[in-house]
Structure formats: structure tokens, C-alpha cells
């Protein structure tokens, strides 16, 4: 409506141009007497208040009646109550102003004229008589609010906004629309110009980024040609007695061609492939004192939790944080599973083989709760946290296969609430259900939520895939991969929703990667073999039976003192051999966030992490090897961790090529 005055001037100019002088004079006169005030709310309010200051109640009510007929009566019925309140406030301001000006005659005149009309109206009961005969209405509790500056300002602003809203939503004539279209086009041109400048700036930023990537690739190539830079000497922490007895320091590892150097930048060998990722660094960390069983990166990517065969969990940062390493000992049971709470790095959950799931709070540095599983299923094989709420799911299994055969139920799936610290729902695997091999159904081994936490997919050693509705924890579909597997074993060690959630990726223990429709149960979309996975399990001289003991402590002959890459004190780490042989391949597989790739324990006798493409199962990139067999991997955003039997964890940071 700001263009009304401008259009009026154009009309006058046009009338004079055409010689319509009489029309021009009439139009000019009507413009001067314009009751609409060019649709300017402040001018209309100014007109209303002019009647109040001149004590012209008839003029005030006539002008309000004009506005009512012209605009207010055309509003939706739900606004009528607001219009009535504005009218009451306007009249009250008339009486307040008259009182302030000591015009009792005008107040009496008002009540004589409109008393019969307002009598009985609850809005005016206190005003009849009391206002006229009160000695000081401004301090009277019934009227003092209306004599304040704040009330007047609030009323004025509210009326101004109300009128503006009406004018902005009126249907406009074509002449005014033409001008608005012109202004709109002008605004759009300005926006286009701003976007053009922004595009040019983005192009420059992209060019700078490409230059930086090229520089990084050149540095990587240079490192591959000239060798690896070593860490700063740590020989000061290795005493002469250790050296005399033939124990090598980390610097000696770098010089020993039979060992993997511990270096700041361990660059992988591309083997001639076009790598999908550029590895910017691969650092080796020695935090644990024995073989790693499970390792997990926090969802925010800042922390790593690693559990070892001594049942000690260490929580540590690899990104240069000054926070100290946290050590959690669990001497009374074996740790089987780890999981970070999905929405922060605050909580770490870990499951044992003695019915317990413990919740550790990193901020308070304490165990804040322990969930207890059913005594029939004391082993907590897997834990998975919802990405959107304080909820997690876990699977329970019996102590042994013998226990499973003697029970009507062979395993459990449970959801638990981290807010109320209570069990929410439970699903039991019935022994009466049979797998294709006529064996009882095996416990659930893998659990993954979908992106919004409303569904989860599970896989078990019987080959069954189940998709659950998390609200009721009931399976909405299930099928067995053994029915369609070409060469697979049917023993599932990974199951994962695809990024678009139209399919489920499954990896079994024979290394078959399959993709299944999540819309048509049992419909396989693709199958391929992951070459190099699984690698043959290692056989060590110290332990030929891959069974976990209650308290797993490596012999002193199998450990050496090596300085941690983060700590100032020496810690023991397994170097030559280990009593631990991994019994599960579930921790050996991890998908990236968009499920286009997965990383597995693969080449080089199981000492190397390998990245595969999920669309065809082909190897696309390898990571730097460890000295001993890998036992766990994890992938979070642009970081992959690989953990080994000697207690080492390698952190590989990457960017898309």
C-alpha cells in the first residue's frame, strides 16, 4: 500500500495530460478528503485521536463506523470480537483523556447520550458513576491501568498492527498490482545479482579446495617415494635393561623391515586402483595391554572405546584432546559388546556374559546404571542405540549351545529406555521354530536401527533376517537367506539398512555380500563374494582353543613394554603372540554412513583392513597393515579404526577422492 500516493500522482498527471481538468479538480478534492488516508494505519489512528483531543465523540464514532462498514464488516467472523474490543478501548481513551483535561461536562454528556445503550454491559458497569465522582481516577484500582502510558502505547500499537494486516491482505486493483510487479521484478533482479556473486565466490572456494587436494595428493605421493616420517623419539622411556635383553623400542620397529613402523602418516598402497578415498593420515595407538575384542568410535567421532581380552575398556581420544584415558575394569565377567549412545559422546554401554548391561557416564566418570538380563540369556551379544531417542536394543543368548537345546526359548531381543532406565519390550526366539537345517533357531547376532529409529533389522546364525517395528518390538517381516544363497554359509555376521532403506545388506561368514528387498521379504536383489573375507583364523602356540576364559590374562612371556602414543607411562602390549583367538566375525565388518562402502578384515593374512563397494562386492582400497591379526573394525563419517590381537588400534582419516 506504500505505492498508493505515487499512483495517485500518476493519475493526476494523466488527467492533466488528457485535459480532463474538471475530473482533475474533483479527484484532487477527494484525495484531500480521503477517509482511507492512503491506507496508512498511522494516519488513520492520527485521525481517530484528533476527534478525542477535540472532545468530538460524534465525529469519533462516525469515523469508526465508516471503518467498520468499509473494512471490519468484511472480515471473517472470528475477528468481530477483536473489533469490538478495539472500539471499547477507543471510547475508554476518550473518557480518560477528558478526565485528564478536567472536562467533566464531556464525560456527563457521554453517559447521558449513550447510558441507556451501555447500561447492563459488563464492560461498562464500573465506569457508570464511579468515573465521574471519583476524586482521583488515576489512582483508583478500577481505572489506574487506563491512565498509564504503557496501556495507551499497547493499545496504539495493537490497533496499528490490526489495520496494517487488513490493508496488506486486501485485493488490489490492477494499477496497484502493476507497480507491485515492477517492484517485485526489481527485488528479484537484486537477488539474482547477489546469487551470481555468491556463485562466483563458491567457484573460487572450490578452485582453492581443488588446489589444496592436489597438494595433499602430491605430498602423499612424495611420502610413498621417499619413505615414512617417524615419530619423535620415545627411547627415553625404554631402559637399558630392556634394550640389552633384546626388546625393541618403537624406533627400532621402523628400522626392522619385518615389522610395521609406528608412524605419524602410514599411507596405504593403492595397488594401481583408483581409490575412492584419499587417506590423509593413519596413526597407530597403543592404549590396551592385550588383544582387542571390540572397538567403537563415538558417533560424534571424537572418542574411541576399546575392550581387550583382560576385560578392560579404555576410552580415549585420538584427535589431540588433552582429556586423560579412562580405564574401566570388569574382572567378574567377560565383555562381549560395546556401543556409544547415538546422540552424544556422553554415555557408553557395554554388555557382559553375566546378565549385565552397564551404562557409563563419561562426564561423571561413573557407572550410572546396570540393566539385568533374564538369567536364561546372560550373554549380551550385541547392543545398538536408536539414532533419535534415548532407547537401545540388545540381544541375549544362553551360556552355551547345550543350554539352548534344553530350552523352549533360544534367545531374546530387548529394548531398554535410557530416560526411565527400564526395560521397554521383549521378543523371544522360540525353539519350536525351525531353521532350514532343522536345527533350533540361533540367538540374534546383529542389530541395526534405521535412520529414524522406527525399525530395526536383526540377523542370526540360523540365517534369519527380521525387521521389527520398534514401537511394539514385533517382527513385521522375516526370511532366511539360506534359501537363496549361492555359496554362502547362511551364518549372518552383519545386517544393515541401505541408505534409502529400500533394501537390507547382509554379509555372512563365508564372505557373501547380498542385498535383499525390504519391501518383498526373501527377494534377493544382488549377490557377490567379498574376496579376502573372511581371512583364515590364526593359530597360536599359546592357545589352540578359541574359548574365552573367565579372567583372560596374557602370560608375561608374550608381552613387552611399549610406550603409549598418548600416555607418558609405559604400558604392556602383546607383541609376539597372544592367547586370544577371535570367535566372532561380527566386529570385523562396518558400513559407512551412506552404505556405498564397507570395511572388513581382509588381505595379508587378516592383518589389513579392506574397503569394498557394496554395489558389486569389489575391493576398491586397502588400509595399512598391522603386525598381527585384526579382530575389530569400525567406521564413523571419515574415520576408520582397525584393531588387532596385539592391542594396537590404527586410526585412518580420509576424504573423498
Amino acid at each position: 500500500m506504500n505505492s498508493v500516493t505515487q499512483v495517485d500522482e500518476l493519475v493526476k498527471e494523466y488527467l492533466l495530460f488528457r485535459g480532463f481538468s474538471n475530473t482533475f479538480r474533483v479527484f484532487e478534492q477527494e484525495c484531500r478528503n480521503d477517509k482511507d488516508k492512503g491506507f496508512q494505519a498511522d494516519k488513520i489512528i492520527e485521525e481517530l485521536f484528533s476527534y478525542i483531543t477535540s472532545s468530538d465523540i460524534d465525529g469519533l464514532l462516525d469515523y469508526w463506523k465508516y471503518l467498520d462498514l468499509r473494512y471490519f464488516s468484511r472480515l471473517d467472523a472470528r475477528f468481530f470480537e477483536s473489533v469490538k474490543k478495539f472500539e471499547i478501548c477507543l471510547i475508554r481513551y476518550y473518557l480518560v483523556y477528558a478526565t485528564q483535561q478536567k472536562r467533566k461536562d464531556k464525560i456527563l454528556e457521554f453517559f447521558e447520550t449513550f447510558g441507556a445503550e451501555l447500561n447492563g454491559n459488563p464492560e461498562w458497569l464500573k465506569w457508570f458513576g464511579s468515573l465521574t465522582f471519583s476524586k482521583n481516577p488515576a489512582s483508583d484500582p478500577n481505572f489506574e491501568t487506563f491512565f498509564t502510558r504503557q496501556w495507551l502505547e499497547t493499545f496504539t500499537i495493537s490497533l496499528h498492527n490490526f489495520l496494517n494486516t487488513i490493508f496488506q491482505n486486501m485485493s488490489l486493483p490492477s494499477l496497484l498490482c502493476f507497480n507491485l510487479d515492477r517492484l517485485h521484478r526489481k527485488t528479484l533482479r537484486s537477488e539474482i545479482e547477489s546469487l551470481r556473486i555468491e556463485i562466483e565466490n563458491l567457484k573460487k572456494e572450490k578452485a582453492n579446495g581443488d588446489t589444496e587436494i592436489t597438494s595433499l595428493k602430491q605430498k602423499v605421493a612424495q611420502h610413498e617415494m621417499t619413505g615414512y616420517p617417524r615419530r619423535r623419539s620415545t627411547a627415553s622411556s625404554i631402559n637399558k635393561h630392556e634394550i640389552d635383553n633384546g626388546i625393541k623400542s618403537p624406533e627400532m620397529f621402523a628400522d626392522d623391515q619385518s615389522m610395521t613402523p609406528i608412524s605419524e602418516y602410514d599411507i596405504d598402497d593403492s595397488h594401481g586402483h583408483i581409490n575412492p578415498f584419499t587417506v590423509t593420515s593413519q596413526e597407530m595407538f597403543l592404549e590396551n595391554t592385550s588383544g582387542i575384542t571390540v572397538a567403537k568410535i563415538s558417533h560424534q567421532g571424537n572418542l574411541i572405546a576399546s575392550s581387550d581380552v583382560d576385560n578392560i575398556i579404555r576410552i580415549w581420544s585420538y584427535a589431540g584432546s588433552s582429556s586423560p584415558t579412562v580405564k574401566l575394569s570388569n574382572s567378574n565377567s567377560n565383555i562381549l559388546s560395546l556401543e556409544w549412545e547415538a546422540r552424544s559422546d556422553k554415555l557408553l554401554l557395554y554388555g557382559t556374559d553375566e546378565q549385565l548391561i552397564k551404562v557409563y557416564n563419561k562426564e561423571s566418570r561413573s557407572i550410572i546404571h546396570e540393566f539385568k538380563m533374564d538369567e536364561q540369556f546372560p550373554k549380551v551379544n550385541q547392543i545398538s542405540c536408536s539414532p533419535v531417542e534415548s532407547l537401545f536394543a540388545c540381544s541375549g543368548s544362553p551360556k552355551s549351545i547345550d543350554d539352548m537345546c534344553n530350552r523352549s526359548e533360544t534367545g531374546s531381543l530387548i529394548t531398554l529406555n535410557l530416560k526411565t532406565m527400564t526395560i521397554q519390550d521383549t521378543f523371544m526366539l522360540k525353539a519350536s521354530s525351525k531353521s532350514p537345517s532343522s536345527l533350533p533357531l540361533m540367538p540374534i547376532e546383529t542389530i541395526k536401527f534405521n535412520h529414524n529409529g522406527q525399525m530395526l533389522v536383526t540377523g542370526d546364525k540360523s540365517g534369519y533376517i527380521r525387521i521389527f517395528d520398534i514401537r511394539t518390538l514385533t517382527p513385521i517381516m522375516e526370511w532366511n537367506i539360506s534359501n537363496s544363497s549361492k555359496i554362502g554359509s547362511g551364518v549372518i555376521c552383519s545386517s544393515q539398512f541401505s541408505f534409502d532403506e529400500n533394501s537390507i545388506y547382509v554379509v555372512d561368514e563365508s564372505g557373501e555380500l547380498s542385498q535383499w528387498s525390504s519391501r518383498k521379504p526373501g527377494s534377493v536383489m544382488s549377490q557377490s563374494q567379498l574376496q579376502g573375507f573372511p581371512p583364515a583364523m590364526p593359530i597360536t602356540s599359546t592357545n589352540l582353543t578359541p574359548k574365552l576364559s573367565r579372567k583372560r590374562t596374557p602370560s608375561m612371556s608374550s608381552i613387552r613394554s611399549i610406550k603409549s602414543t598418548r600416555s607418558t607411562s609405559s604400558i604392556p602390549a602383546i607383541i609376539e603372540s597372544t592367547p586370544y583367538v577371535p570367535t566372532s566375525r561380527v566386529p570385523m565388518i562396518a558400513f559407512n554412513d551412506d552404505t556405498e562402502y564397507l570395511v572388513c578384515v581382509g588381505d595379508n593374512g587378516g592383518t589389513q583392513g579392506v574397503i569394498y563397494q557394496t554395489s558389486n562386492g569389489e575391493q576398491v582400497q586397502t588400509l595399512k597393515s598391522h603386525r598381527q591379526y585384526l579382530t575389530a573394525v569400525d567406521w564413523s563419517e571419515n574415520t576408520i579404526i582397525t584393531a588387532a590381537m596385539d592391542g594396537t588400534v590404527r586410526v585412518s582419516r580420509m576424504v573423498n577422492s
Side-chain angles (χ1 to χ4, degrees):
M1 289 297 183
N2 294 333
S3 59
V4 169
T5 303
Q6 183 182 1
V7 172
D8 286 349
E9 294 300 320
L10 291 174
V11 171
K12 291 178 184 179
E13 183 181 350
Y14 175 76
L15 293 175
L16 289 175
F17 174 75
R18 292 297 309 274
F20 300 150
S21 55
N22 290 334
T23 306
F24 171 81
R25 284 192 291 272
V26 172
F27 181 72
E28 191 173 35
Q29 181 63 35
E30 289 191 340
C31 285
R32 283 197 293 267
N33 298 329
D34 179 23
K35 288 187 175 183
D36 296 325
K37 305 300 178 184
F39 305 105
Q40 298 179 60
D42 53 345
K43 293 290 184 65
I44 292 176
I45 293 175
E46 185 181 326
E47 181 75 6
L48 288 168
F49 283 7
S50 69
Y51 291 116
I52 293 174
T53 56
S54 62
S55 300
D56 185 359
I57 186 63
D58 293 327
L60 177 65
L61 296 177
D62 286 345
Y63 189 48
W64 184 262
K65 185 176 181 181
Y66 168 79
L67 296 174
D68 190 24
L69 293 173
R70 179 84 162 88
Y71 305 111
F72 306 151
S73 61
R74 301 178 185 182
L75 297 176
D76 192 277
R78 67 179 184 274
F79 295 109
F80 290 169
E81 185 67 25
S82 298
V83 173
K84 192 63 180 175
K85 286 183 178 179
F86 279 124
E87 183 181 6
I88 292 172
C89 288
L90 192 66
I91 297 173
R92 283 177 174 172
Y93 179 49
Y94 171 85
L95 295 173
V96 167
Y97 186 82
T99 302
Q100 291 172 333
Q101 301 300 314
K102 299 182 180 180
R103 297 292 304 272
K104 285 191 177 182
D105 56 324
K106 291 296 180 180
I107 299 173
L108 292 172
E109 178 187 359
F110 172 81
F111 285 116
E112 287 175 1
T113 305
F114 301 101
E117 182 181 340
L118 300 177
N119 190 24
N121 188 331
E123 295 281 357
W124 291 99
L125 287 178
K126 295 179 181 179
W127 292 73
F128 275 97
S130 300
L131 182 65
T132 307
F133 299 106
S134 177
K135 292 183 178 180
N136 187 8
S139 60
D140 190 316
N142 293 321
F143 309 113
E144 61 181 351
T145 299
F146 303 101
F147 283 84
T148 62
R149 183 188 183 94
Q150 183 180 1
W151 177 84
L152 178 59
E153 289 179 350
T154 302
F155 166 59
T156 305
I157 292 170
S158 299
L159 181 58
H160 187 278
N161 293 338
F162 184 66
L163 292 171
N164 265 341
T165 303
I166 293 173
F167 297 150
Q168 289 170 4
N169 289 276
M170 286 175 57
S171 298
L172 300 178
S174 300
L175 189 60
L176 283 176
C177 289
F178 173 80
N179 192 51
L180 289 177
D181 289 342
R182 181 183 65 82
L183 294 174
H184 183 59
R185 285 194 299 272
K186 184 178 180 181
T187 303
L188 287 177
R189 282 196 295 269
S190 298
E191 290 180 0
I192 291 170
E193 185 61 28
S194 298
L195 290 172
R196 185 179 291 111
I197 294 171
E198 186 176 350
I199 289 170
E200 291 300 322
N201 291 335
L202 289 173
K203 285 181 178 178
K204 290 179 182 177
E205 290 180 10
K206 181 180 181 297
N208 293 336
D210 291 342
T211 303
E212 186 175 351
I213 290 172
T214 302
S215 176
L216 285 173
K217 289 183 177 179
Q218 289 173 351
K219 289 180 181 179
V220 169
Q222 184 180 1
H223 287 312
E224 290 178 341
M225 293 175 63
T226 61
Y228 307 124
R230 300 178 186 173
R231 285 192 180 277
R232 188 167 47 194
S233 173
T234 57
S236 59
S237 66
I238 310 297
N239 62 40
K240 185 177 184 301
H241 174 75
E242 292 172 330
I243 296 175
D244 291 342
N245 283 277
I247 299 177
K248 297 182 178 182
S249 68
E251 294 83 352
M252 297 178 182
F253 295 161
D255 295 329
D256 190 335
Q257 298 302 314
S258 66
M259 299 182 181
T260 300
I262 301 177
S263 63
E264 187 69 27
Y265 297 98
D266 287 328
I267 310 301
D268 65 275
D269 181 5
S270 64
H271 301 296
H273 297 296
I274 300 175
N275 292 339
F277 303 99
T278 298
V279 179
T280 58
S281 69
Q282 292 190 75
E283 297 179 87
M284 183 81 82
F285 292 87
L286 302 174
E287 293 292 344
N288 292 76
T289 63
S290 56
I292 305 295
T293 56
V294 189
K296 291 285 185 178
I297 312 176
S298 64
H299 291 277
Q300 292 184 356
N302 299 321
L303 298 172
I304 293 174
S306 49
S307 171
D308 59 32
V309 295
D310 293 330
N311 291 304
I312 293 175
I313 298 172
R314 293 183 186 270
I315 302 172
W316 47 281
S317 172
Y318 63 90
S321 172
S322 59
S323 58
T325 297
V326 175
K327 177 182 175 182
L328 303 177
S329 298
N330 196 69
S331 58
N332 297 324
S333 58
N334 292 321
I335 297 170
L336 304 182
S337 51
L338 289 175
E339 179 72 336
W340 288 95
E341 201 270 331
R343 297 181 301 169
S344 70
D345 289 354
K346 183 179 177 180
L347 301 180
L348 176 70
L349 295 82
Y350 61 96
T352 73
D353 62 354
E354 292 292 342
Q355 299 180 250
L356 292 179
I357 303 169
K358 298 184 180 183
V359 183
Y360 175 78
N361 187 307
K362 187 175 68 69
E363 293 181 355
S364 64
R365 299 174 68 87
S366 62
I367 302 294
I368 60 172
H369 193 75
E370 292 184 353
F371 293 98
K372 194 166 186 178
M373 301 283 284
D374 190 301
E375 62 181 6
Q376 295 185 81
F377 311 113
K379 296 173 68 175
V380 184
N381 298 320
Q382 282 292 310
I383 302 174
S384 182
C385 283
S386 168
V388 296
E389 57 183 324
S390 298
L391 184 77
F392 71 95
C394 65
S395 62
S397 67
K399 276 283 188 183
S400 65
I401 294 180
D402 292 338
D403 292 341
M404 193 184 311
C405 296
N406 297 327
R407 289 196 172 97
S408 60
E409 295 167 334
T410 59
S412 64
L413 176 67
I414 298 174
T415 53
L416 304 100
N417 194 305
L418 283 169
K419 282 187 177 178
T420 60
M421 295 297 179
T422 56
I423 293 176
Q424 184 163 299
D425 289 298
T426 302
F427 173 80
M428 292 291 185
L429 287 173
K430 303 293 184 182
S432 57
S433 302
K434 300 293 182 180
S435 66
S437 60
S438 298
L439 294 173
L441 289 176
M442 303 293 281
I444 290 168
E445 290 289 314
T446 69
I447 308 171
K448 284 290 181 182
F449 280 87
N450 71 331
H451 81 285
N452 62 7
Q454 297 304 301
M455 295 187 295
L456 58 83
V457 60
T458 66
D460 61 36
K461 287 189 175 181
S462 305
Y464 272 97
I465 292 291
R466 296 180 180 85
I467 299 178
F468 288 83
D469 181 345
I470 197 63
R471 294 168 295 183
T472 58
L473 203 62
T474 55
I476 54 180
M477 61 178 70
E478 66 176 59
W479 66 91
N480 195 291
I481 67 169
S482 302
N483 298 332
S484 301
S485 179
K486 294 178 181 178
I487 55 174
S489 67
V491 179
I492 297 170
C493 53
S494 181
S495 57
Q496 170 89 36
F497 283 99
S498 64
F499 185 72
D500 60 10
E501 298 186 358
N502 290 324
S503 61
I504 306 293
Y505 287 111
V506 177
V507 179
D508 68 19
E509 288 199 349
S510 70
E512 183 178 86
L513 169 65
S514 52
Q515 185 179 10
W516 302 79
S517 171
S518 60
R519 304 289 184 262
K520 298 179 181 179
S523 176
V524 63
M525 301 167 66
S526 66
Q527 289 174 295
S528 55
Q529 188 68 26
L530 301 177
Q531 296 298 324
F533 178 83
M537 288 287 189
I539 298 177
T540 67
S541 59
T542 54
N543 182 24
L544 299 178
T545 305
K547 184 175 181 181
L548 304 180
S549 62
R550 170 69 58 216
K551 176 67 176 175
R552 299 170 295 196
T553 305
S555 63
M556 291 305 296
S557 62
S558 67
I559 63 174
R560 289 178 173 173
S561 180
I562 296 180
K563 182 179 175 63
S564 166
T565 59
R566 302 179 66 254
S567 174
T568 57
S569 61
S570 296
I571 61 171
I574 299 176
I575 297 300
E576 293 177 345
S577 61
T578 176
Y580 171 57
V581 177
T583 59
S584 173
R585 293 191 173 95
V586 174
M588 299 182 181
I589 304 166
F591 287 79
N592 72 333
D593 292 340
D594 60 14
T595 65
E596 289 187 11
Y597 301 95
L598 72 157
V599 62
C600 303
V601 176
D603 290 350
N604 248 359
T607 63
Q608 192 169 30
V610 179
I611 299 175
Y612 298 86
Q613 193 162 358
T614 55
S615 60
N616 52 26
E618 292 184 359
Q619 287 190 19
V620 293
Q621 195 163 352
T622 56
L623 302 173
K624 191 67 179 178
S625 297
H626 287 245
R627 292 187 58 254
Q628 292 197 8
Y629 194 91
L630 296 186
T631 54
V633 300
D634 198 18
W635 195 337
S636 177
E637 295 185 348
N638 295 323
T639 303
I640 292 177
I641 61 172
T642 52
M645 292 169 60
D646 59 3
T648 59
V649 176
R650 188 184 295 281
V651 180
S652 302
R653 291 192 250 188
M654 311 174 299
V655 294
N656 292 330
S657 296

